[in-house]
Amino acid sequence: MNLTPAIINRQGEMFGRAPPLLTDLYQFTMAYAYWRAGRHQEPAVFELFFRDDPFGGAFSLFAGLHDCLLFLRSFRFTDEDVEFLRSVLPPVTDPAFFQFLRGLDCSGVTLRSIPEGTVVFARVPLMEVAGPLAVVQLLETSLLCLVNYASLVCSNAARFRLAAGPKRKLLEMGLRRAQGPDGGLTASRYTHVGGFDLTSNVQAGFLFGIPVAGTMAHSYVTSFTSLAEVRPQTLVALNGADPVDIISLTKDWLSRVCEFLGGEPGKICEGELAAFLSYAIAYPQNFLPVIDSYSVGCSGLLNFCAVALVLCELDYRPVGVRLDSGDLCRQSLDVRRVFRLCGEHFSVSAFDSLIIVGTNNITEQSMAELNNKENEIDVVGVGTHLVTCTRQPSLGCVYKLVEVRGIPRMKISEDPEKSTVPGRKAVYRLVDAEGRPFLDLVCLAVESPPEAGVSLSCYPLMCDSSLVSVTPAQVTCLRQEVFTKGQVRTGCDCAQITVAVS
């Protein structure tokens, strides 16, 4: 996904999600204590990583870097920010500290990061944030907020994509179930990075250039009761000039469809037919109704075929149908069979290319089951279980101090899993002779980098396994310097960042 400057400008002006006060209060109390002790300018280094791969899997996708860069670039406290901090910090706080805050920015901060959209693993440092101790401390919560959910939902999307396979299109439609407007926008953006093709979220399309899709809900269908409510009652053929009485034409086609397929006219819902016809008149080139508001077999599918055949007769091309309840696999087979029969019987080739969209509380498991059952679903819409990440609510990224004044720092915890590895690190991805990555190597920044074709020995992180020897055919340095001296580095400009997952 390429983010054009216009889209970035819209995001910067309308989607400023992380002002400097979006943090925890203790970041300011610590910054004050550093300032009082004269330590606020000491050079310090923090690392951001997660401890366990999400969803019981073996990988994650790193996301949120773009938002982090926007945050760092605009990090400044306004007079209003400072006055609010004055009101919430203890009264004994030295007034000069607030003047210090007013002058803070990230001009002394350097960010080294793994590229956005990269497959990453637990315990590997994703980002290194270096700069004055007080400043990089103040950045902690905001950076974690920007990376945690973005990476989690991006990884969830990738799992759905893997479960769906490469050919089936995926539509993200979780805005109504998301954790607030910001959660909805983040989900739409990063599920697209994670492999989803489309979103129903119009604002996400506007801000990020993601293709948007959607047609009608059940409420539209149930709002109609009879054909008398259809307005207008005429439609001009695509290549014609005279309006056609579409009500009479539709009744004729419905009669022919029922006779051919054995449908019972008494079970046809006229309100549903009216809804389909009204929508088709409004969007004759984009006709894709939901057909299970009443009964797919007895009403919805027959009504769709009748209206679709009307459109075809007038030289328009209907798009397809949406199924939203019941056994999607079985219904999709029945629907496809009817499409083929109608296409052949009525000599309408457009019926060969009609698509079937499935939406019904889809989970990763039910997505995988689609591949194990015979079905004819072309597009799957996923909402709740995608954007809320129901299998795991948080990725659990942490931000840990690893160096101050050039001296490595380490946290030794009562819980060994929470202990940290001290010192600045370098991260390399080792690739075998077939071009497949097989190991991410974390070593101290002062150590010599691994070389292609040269054997090296290493220990698996957080394991009791013995020393292993490997020989990479290729070596890639995973982390890049993306922000320094208050600016996004050339080649990583916010308007030029490209993220892609296959």
Side-chain angles (χ1 to χ4, degrees):
M1 177 176 64
N2 291 317
L3 301 179
T4 67
I7 292 171
I8 293 303
N9 289 338
R10 289 201 292 267
Q11 182 186 2
E13 294 169 7
M14 303 174 61
F15 196 48
R17 298 185 296 164
L21 291 189
L22 188 68
T23 187
D24 298 304
L25 183 62
Y26 78 167
Q27 307 292 6
F28 290 103
T29 60
M30 287 188 288
Y32 176 69
Y34 285 137
W35 180 83
R36 284 281 294 178
R39 300 190 58 204
H40 56 288
Q41 294 287 3
E42 290 182 2
V45 180
F46 284 82
E47 289 178 345
L48 187 150
F49 60 93
F50 58 92
R51 294 190 175 102
D52 298 293
D53 293 305
F55 308 111
F59 76 97
S60 179
L61 291 184
F62 173 55
L65 173 61
H66 176 79
D67 296 324
C68 291
L69 293 175
L70 289 174
F71 167 66
L72 294 178
R73 193 171 64 180
S74 62
F75 182 86
R76 287 174 189 81
F77 294 96
T78 66
D79 290 336
E80 187 178 11
D81 294 337
V82 172
E83 286 308 307
F84 178 76
L85 288 170
R86 196 189 302 272
S87 73
V88 296
L89 287 173
V92 296
T93 305
D94 189 330
F97 175 67
F98 299 107
Q99 192 61 36
F100 162 72
L101 289 179
R102 188 66 183 88
L104 277 187
D105 59 23
C106 286
S107 58
V109 173
T110 298
L111 175 65
R112 295 177 178 87
S113 176
I114 289 175
E116 184 126 60
T118 300
V119 173
V120 292
F121 306 96
R123 299 279 172 176
V124 174
L126 309 176
M127 298 170 64
E128 177 194 270
V129 187
L133 180 56
V135 177
V136 291
Q137 183 70 69
L138 287 171
L139 300 178
E140 175 182 5
T141 303
S142 300
L143 293 178
L144 287 172
C145 180
L146 292 170
V147 169
N148 256 310
Y149 178 63
S151 296
L152 183 71
V153 77
C154 187
S155 303
N156 200 26
R159 293 179 65 87
F160 273 89
R161 168 47 71 194
L162 290 172
K167 295 181 180 179
R168 207 185 307 270
K169 283 198 171 185
L170 297 179
L171 163 66
E172 178 274 316
M173 45 187 291
L175 180 58
R176 65 187 59 193
R177 304 288 169 78
Q179 290 92 337
D182 181 72
L185 282 167
T186 301
S188 296
R189 179 176 187 183
Y190 289 109
T191 55
H192 185 58
V193 174
F196 272 61
D197 304 282
L198 308 158
T199 181
S200 67
N201 187 340
V202 179
Q203 181 73 351
F206 171 69
L207 291 173
F208 311 125
I210 304 170
V212 295
T215 54
M216 69 170 68
H218 294 289
S219 58
Y220 183 84
V221 177
T222 57
S223 72
F224 288 82
T225 57
S226 74
L227 289 170
E229 296 170 306
V230 176
R231 293 288 187 278
Q233 296 193 345
T234 59
L235 180 63
V236 176
L238 183 62
N239 300 314
D242 298 326
V244 176
D245 180 354
I246 199 166
I247 301 292
S248 298
L249 189 58
T250 301
K251 288 180 178 179
D252 177 60
W253 271 113
L254 181 60
S255 176
R256 295 167 66 182
V257 167
C258 287
E259 181 181 357
F260 171 61
L261 296 175
E264 300 180 41
K267 293 184 178 181
I268 296 290
C269 178
E270 184 176 327
E272 182 181 56
L273 179 61
F276 290 1
L277 192 50
S278 178
Y279 197 90
I281 292 170
Y283 292 107
Q285 298 277 44
N286 299 90
F287 182 54
L288 193 156
V290 57
I291 63 171
D292 66 320
S293 297
Y294 301 105
S295 168
V296 173
C298 294
S299 182
L301 182 54
L302 300 172
N303 281 332
F304 169 80
C305 288
V307 176
L309 287 164
V310 168
L311 292 175
C312 291
E313 183 175 331
L314 300 179
D315 295 323
Y316 297 104
R317 295 186 68 88
V319 177
V321 299
R322 177 163 73 97
L323 298 168
D324 190 47
S325 60
D327 186 336
L328 299 183
C329 292
R330 179 187 58 78
Q331 289 185 97
S332 71
L333 292 172
D334 293 340
V335 169
R336 185 68 70 195
R337 179 181 61 84
V338 168
F339 286 171
R340 288 173 180 148
L341 288 172
C342 285
E344 293 172 4
H345 181 76
F346 298 113
S347 300
V348 180
S349 61
F351 269 55
D352 296 335
S353 58
L354 292 174
I355 68 170
I356 300 173
V357 180
T359 59
N360 184 20
N361 203 32
I362 302 294
T363 65
E364 182 186 335
Q365 180 180 357
S366 61
M367 183 77 79
E369 289 173 355
L370 286 177
N371 288 338
N372 297 324
K373 292 182 179 179
E374 186 181 2
N375 69 86
E376 290 285 344
I377 299 173
D378 303 291
V379 181
V380 179
V382 191
T384 303
H385 297 289
L386 174 65
V387 304
T388 64
C389 301
T390 48
R391 290 186 59 196
Q392 179 171 325
S394 173
L395 180 58
C397 283
V398 294
Y399 185 86
K400 297 300 180 183
L401 181 69
V402 295
E403 183 181 285
V404 179
R405 300 189 313 276
I407 302 171
R409 308 304 302 158
M410 179 180 184
K411 173 187 175 183
I412 303 176
S413 173
E414 296 290 340
D415 184 348
E417 289 190 357
K418 289 191 172 183
S419 298
T420 59
V421 179
R424 301 182 78 158
K425 321 285 191 313
V427 183
Y428 302 95
R429 179 152 293 174
L430 309 187
V431 180
D432 64 19
E434 283 72 43
R436 296 173 298 195
F438 68 90
L439 186 145
D440 282 355
L441 179 71
V442 179
C443 56
L444 293 174
V446 295
E447 294 183 86
S448 299
E451 298 179 33
V454 178
S455 176
L456 62 93
S457 299
C458 57
Y459 289 92
L461 262 178
M462 305 303 295
C463 294
D464 296 328
S465 303
S466 58
L467 190 70
V468 296
S469 294
V470 295
T471 303
Q474 302 175 47
V475 176
T476 301
C477 182
L478 273 187
R479 286 204 314 232
Q480 307 165 4
E481 189 170 288
V482 294
F483 184 90
T484 187
K485 297 180 180 179
Q487 298 295 323
V488 177
R489 285 293 301 269
T490 302
C492 292
D493 187 80
C494 293
Q496 299 176 334
I497 291 175
T498 300
V499 286
V501 178
S502 57

